[in-house]
Amino acid sequence: MIVKSVVLALCAGAVYQALKGTGSPSAKLGMCCLISCTVILALI
Amino acid sequence: MKQLIFTVGWLEFTRTKTRNWLLLLLILGSAFLLLSYGDSVAGFQKHHQDDRSDFELISPERLADKRGISNEFVNLASIPTAAVTAAVGFFGFIVLLTIPFRSRQEWEDGQFQMISMGRFNFYQVESARFLSYLSLAVLYYFALLGTSSLYAWLSGVSSMQGIKTMNLLISYFFLALVPLMLSFGIFVSAINTAYYRDGGGKLLTLVKYVSCFCFFVLVLKVFRGVVDRETILFPTLDLHIEIENFFEHTARLNFEFLLISLSSAAALLFWSARIMEEVED
């Protein structure tokens, strides 16, 4: 449970950085989809 | 478009020179390993000890009869041939995975930006990149399959049906995984380019590479999910793989996964071209 929470918190931080890191909307969406792979694997 | 494919192919070939040498060494190494498997690999045998004439080519059927190999079922009787082919195939796959990734320096060199300033758009440039990587992968796996099939045939330790099974199995996994992974590499490379220009944190880089690994795990989970499903749209091809006294398995080649994988590869390629267009324009 602790590991899952840490992973999810790291993912949330990465999503925040991803959203403000570039001006390209497709790159933002791509990065969020990429990060969602980690989130899905952490949740299942 | 032909001019673009050749230009991008040449640029990529010079950029990935070290990895190309590594792939060549893997092929040569596998050929050497298969050769050094000893007298059972050499299909050329002398008639008898005192014979000074040239070597005679023994037909695989005769060798198979001599060694009592059954031709009744699909058989992969040669453990070293199968093991060497699988190991070299896997290492080659890992090297091929890294090929689409471009470093910051390579992006700053601006090879593709220069091309895109001409009459070609990024959809064409990314397709040309994909084709150049795919042709390298095809060359690699063609050489690997050719080498292993040749030695399996010459040695006679594997039946002709077994060699066909090995070729079918590797070709299926090649079609199902390599285009998807190459497109995924191009996609991550495009995302990297977007963040090279505007900047990204260390946390983002860490999570990005962990996510790449998670993507591969999810692909394998999808593969298992699709293969284990009860209802299927397309007929499956069942291959019986057997390595005597060691391993026995029936592989189910599922065409739905192939379709999903190739469609995803096309979608990722389109997406990466769109990212590059937004970043560079």
Side-chain angles (χ1 to χ4, degrees):
Chain A
M1 193 65 194
I2 298 168
V3 177
K4 266 188 190 182
S5 309
V6 171
V7 170
L8 290 176
L10 285 176
C11 286
V15 167
Y16 175 73
Q17 283 194 356
L19 290 177
K20 64 167 199 164
T22 181
S24 157
S26 297
K28 281 180 192 176
L29 186 63
M31 186 60 104
C32 290
C33 287
L34 201 59
I35 294 168
S36 71
C37 292
T38 309
V39 176
I40 291 168
L41 216 60
L43 291 177
I44 57 174
Chain B
M1 189 66 187
K2 205 178 5 172
Q3 185 197 356
L4 176 72
I5 290 172
F6 282 118
T7 311
V8 170
W10 175 249
L11 287 172
E12 284 297 307
F13 184 75
T14 48
R15 185 178 71 81
T16 58
K17 212 184 285 173
T18 319
R19 280 165 282 187
N20 294 337
W21 277 111
L22 194 60
L23 289 175
L24 187 66
L25 281 176
L26 275 172
I27 288 290
L28 292 177
S30 70
F32 177 75
L33 273 174
L34 288 167
L35 263 177
S36 66
Y37 179 41
D39 66 332
S40 63
V41 164
F44 301 92
Q45 292 192 347
K46 280 192 168 186
H47 293 287
H48 49 79
Q49 289 291 328
D50 302 328
D51 191 359
R52 285 164 187 268
S53 64
D54 290 336
F55 290 103
E56 181 203 7
L57 177 65
I58 308 257
S59 73
E61 290 78 13
R62 241 179 81 195
L63 269 175
D65 283 347
K66 239 162 88 178
R67 289 172 191 177
I69 294 166
S70 167
N71 284 318
E72 286 168 7
F73 51 83
V74 180
N75 189 5
L76 276 178
S78 160
I79 296 175
T81 307
V84 169
T85 308
V88 175
F90 178 73
F91 286 123
F93 182 68
I94 298 291
V95 175
L96 284 167
L97 266 185
T98 65
I99 280 183
F101 289 90
R102 282 186 293 162
S103 66
R104 179 183 278 272
Q105 185 60 47
E106 283 164 346
W107 170 66
E108 281 171 356
D109 288 346
Q111 295 163 342
F112 298 103
Q113 287 85 344
M114 277 163 64
I115 294 168
S116 74
M117 279 191 274
R119 58 202 163 95
F120 302 107
N121 58 36
F122 272 106
Y123 295 94
Q124 289 170 315
V125 173
E126 295 295 79
S127 305
R129 271 184 81 193
F130 176 77
L131 285 177
S132 73
Y133 301 142
L134 192 67
S135 55
L136 183 67
V138 167
L139 210 66
Y140 176 75
Y141 279 96
F142 187 76
L144 175 66
L145 277 184
T147 314
S148 51
S149 301
L150 181 69
Y151 289 116
W153 179 72
L154 285 176
S155 68
V157 287
S158 181
S159 66
M160 189 51 86
Q161 193 60 47
I163 296 169
K164 282 180 190 166
T165 308
M166 183 176 75
N167 284 339
L168 253 176
L169 192 72
I170 294 182
S171 302
Y172 172 79
F173 280 112
F174 176 85
L175 271 177
L177 293 177
V178 172
L180 178 66
M181 293 307 161
L182 290 178
S183 291
F184 181 71
I186 293 174
F187 174 67
V188 176
S189 172
I191 289 180
N192 281 345
T193 307
Y195 285 90
Y196 282 152
R197 208 180 71 165
D198 302 329
K202 281 180 184 167
L203 173 66
L204 187 63
T205 311
L206 172 75
V207 174
K208 184 173 64 194
Y209 287 111
V210 170
S211 300
C212 289
F213 176 74
C214 292
F215 176 79
F216 302 139
V217 177
L218 281 179
V219 167
L220 291 179
K221 277 187 185 291
V222 169
F223 176 70
R224 276 191 188 170
V226 170
V227 168
D228 293 342
R229 270 180 61 211
E230 290 292 319
T231 48
I232 47 168
L233 286 174
F234 303 111
T236 55
L237 183 65
D238 291 347
L239 289 181
H240 183 74
I241 304 158
E242 178 171 326
I243 297 170
E244 270 177 13
N245 306 322
F246 180 67
F247 177 75
E248 193 172 351
H249 180 65
T250 302
R252 181 174 282 184
L253 305 192
N254 188 298
F255 291 96
E256 283 163 341
F257 179 75
L258 199 63
L259 196 69
I260 293 170
S261 163
L262 292 175
S263 322
S264 310
L268 285 175
L269 205 60
F270 178 81
W271 199 344
S272 54
R274 181 144 182 100
I275 292 171
M276 290 303 289
E277 208 171 49
E278 283 177 7
V279 170
E280 300 294 345
D281 283 348

